[in-house]
Each structure stands twice: as structure tokens, then as C-alpha cells.
Amino acid sequence: MKTYERSKGRWLAGLVPSCFTLFLLPPFLWAQSVVDQQQPVIDTRVGGLAIGGYYQQKLAQVVTAGATGLLVEIGLPVAGTSGSLVVQIEGVYGNLPNGVVLTSQTIPASSLPTFYPSPPSFRRITLSNPVFMAAGTRFAIILNSSGDFGVFQGPVGDSYAGGNLYFDSRPNAVGVWVCVCSFAGDRFDLPFQTWMQTVDNVPPGITCPANVVTTTEPGQCSRVVNYPSPVATDDRPGVTVSSNPPLGSAFPKGVTAVTCTARDAAGNTAS
């Protein structure tokens, strides 16, 4: 397996002994993105893992989705010197990538650090074509390149229980994925984050003001009424309220019903 020696800034060769259903849902159902899965620990004591280069090394981190939603971003502590980094999301069969590309994103080396930043940080890579994931779905983050790239590795041990890290490099046969392990048999995981936009189908709550009783001025058949505003609540930001007839309208004599409506950012309503 190919590694990257941070201190000298060059590549080193070394040994480190399902099926999907895709749904297209209306955009108004989606809310802001949140971190769904992650292995945030970066081990800066060792060199990073090479991507591409002479050995044409590919890396694959298997992940298990924790929530149902759109996978929109991947966070990785990556660096590159030439070419382009290709981040693919593939399906998984058993424990290994199955070769079915669900979405792909290409990032030029010019948009990434040339060497690993200090302190290390995650680069958020936005997927131009987000992909739907149901909770419990296993998928693989595939890292490949047409140049020279590297990524920090995680600590020794099972730091992420939802999947394993694998590599595919020459002189091994193309498509043969091997678990990234130490000579002692301890495996590694990539430091990564997956950002998900989750489905919001829960309507907001709304509390309407009490009935208002008032009188008109002598000789008038209507009166402007400034009744209290309704109060809306939701488990996510962005909820708005409206009333019909609106606050400050002229109300005629008699009884007029006012309809108050709360609408959240996903378009769910309550009245």
C-alpha cells in the first residue's frame, strides 16, 4: 500500500499489512444539511495515505447511513499536488464496493492544499448530484485521482463501527479491494464526515390568540383591529406565520373568522 511521508513531502511505497433504490423527491421536502456519520479523529503521527500516483492507488471507506435523506457533502482531510481528485459514492455488496457508481465529483488539485495543513482540517466536498440514502444503507466513499493526492489516516483500531477502509493498488489486480491493516492486524478508518439533508415531513405547531371582542366607532360599520400575533414553533429554523385577514385589517360588524397558518422551511403547514 502506498503512503505519503509528510515530513519530506514525497510519496513512499510501503505495506500496510447491495442494492440501492433511488428516489427523486421534491426539493421543498429537504432541510439544512447536518453531519450524519463521521470518524473525526486524525492521526498526525503517521504519514497520510496516497491516492493515485505511480501505484494508481484507490481508497474506499465503507459507511452506514444513520438517517434517511440526501447525501450532499463529504468531509475529508485531503491534499494534492497535481491532477484531479475523483470522489465517487458506490454501492456496497457484502462489505466491499460493488462498482455501481451512484454519484461522482471531481476536484482539481489547485482547489486543495498542496501539503497537509497544520493543524489538519476537513475539506467539505459538495456533491453536484446528491444521492438519496435510506437509514441503514451501506455505501462506499471511493477516492481516486489522475495525479498525486493524499489523505490523513485515522488512528489504529476500529474507530468507526459502520464500515471498513480498503485499498486497491498495483501491482495487485484491478478491482481487488484489500483491508487497510497494520502488521499486527489492526485496521484503520479514514477520517471523514458525511453531510445529509434529512426529510422534514413534520408540520410546525401554532398557537392562535384568544377571541377578540371590540366595538365600532359611532356611525362606522367597520373597525381596524390589531389582534395579537399567533405563535409558531418547529424543530428546525425557518418557520413563518401568516393570518387571513391579516393583522391591522378593517373588520366589518359581526363575527369574522381569522385563519392563522404556520409554514416551515420544508413547506409543511399547520393552521
Side-chain angles (χ1 to χ4, degrees), residues 52 56-60 90 142-144 166-169 177:
Q56 303 170 29
Q57 179 159 280
K58 297 167 63 177
L59 299 174
E90 287 190 10
I142 309 293
L143 303 181
N144 194 9
Y166 301 90
F167 73 95
D168 170 8
S169 69
W177 291 103

Side-chain angles (χ1 to χ4, degrees), residues 98 220 236 252:
N98 64 7
Q220 299 297 314
R236 307 180 190 216

Side-chain angles (χ1 to χ4, degrees), residues 28-51:
F28 62 79
L29 288 178
W30 306 102
Q32 65 188 60
S33 58
V34 295
V35 175
D36 178 58
Q37 297 292 291
Q38 65 177 334
Q39 194 296 99
V41 182
I42 299 173
D43 191 345
T44 59
R45 299 170 300 174
V46 296
L49 302 176
I51 307 167

Side-chain angles (χ1 to χ4, degrees), residues 3-67:
T3 60
Y4 186 71
E5 187 176 26
R6 185 178 174 216
S7 59
K8 297 181 180 179
R10 58 187 177 89
W11 301 113
L12 297 178
L15 291 176
V16 184
S18 150
C19 298
F20 283 78
T21 301
L22 300 181
F23 299 89
L24 182 62
L25 299 181
F28 62 79
L29 288 178
W30 306 102
Q32 65 188 60
S33 58
V34 295
V35 175
D36 178 58
Q37 297 292 291
Q38 65 177 334
Q39 194 296 99
V41 182
I42 299 173
D43 191 345
T44 59
R45 299 170 300 174
V46 296
L49 302 176
I51 307 167
Y54 178 79
Y55 291 92
Q56 303 170 29
Q57 179 159 280
K58 297 167 63 177
L59 299 174
Q61 175 67 52
V62 175
V63 179
T64 303

Side-chain angles (χ1 to χ4, degrees), residues 53-147:
Y54 178 79
Y55 291 92
Q56 303 170 29
Q57 179 159 280
K58 297 167 63 177
L59 299 174
Q61 175 67 52
V62 175
V63 179
T64 303
T68 296
L70 282 178
L71 178 64
V72 293
E73 289 183 301
I74 304 295
L76 297 164
V78 291
T81 59
S82 65
S84 296
L85 175 68
V86 179
V87 180
Q88 294 178 326
I89 305 300
E90 287 190 10
V92 170
Y93 180 76
N95 293 319
L96 299 175
N98 64 7
V100 178
V101 178
L102 304 176
T103 190
S104 178
Q105 192 69 37
T106 300
I107 303 98
S110 58
S111 67
L112 296 173
T114 303
F115 298 101
Y116 297 125
S118 181
S121 60
F122 284 84
R123 164 69 185 233
R124 288 176 64 172
I125 299 168
T126 301
L127 301 175
S128 298
N129 296 301
V131 61
F132 178 84
M133 295 290 176
T137 299
R138 305 190 81 197
F139 61 93
I141 302 171
I142 309 293
L143 303 181
N144 194 9
S145 86
S146 60

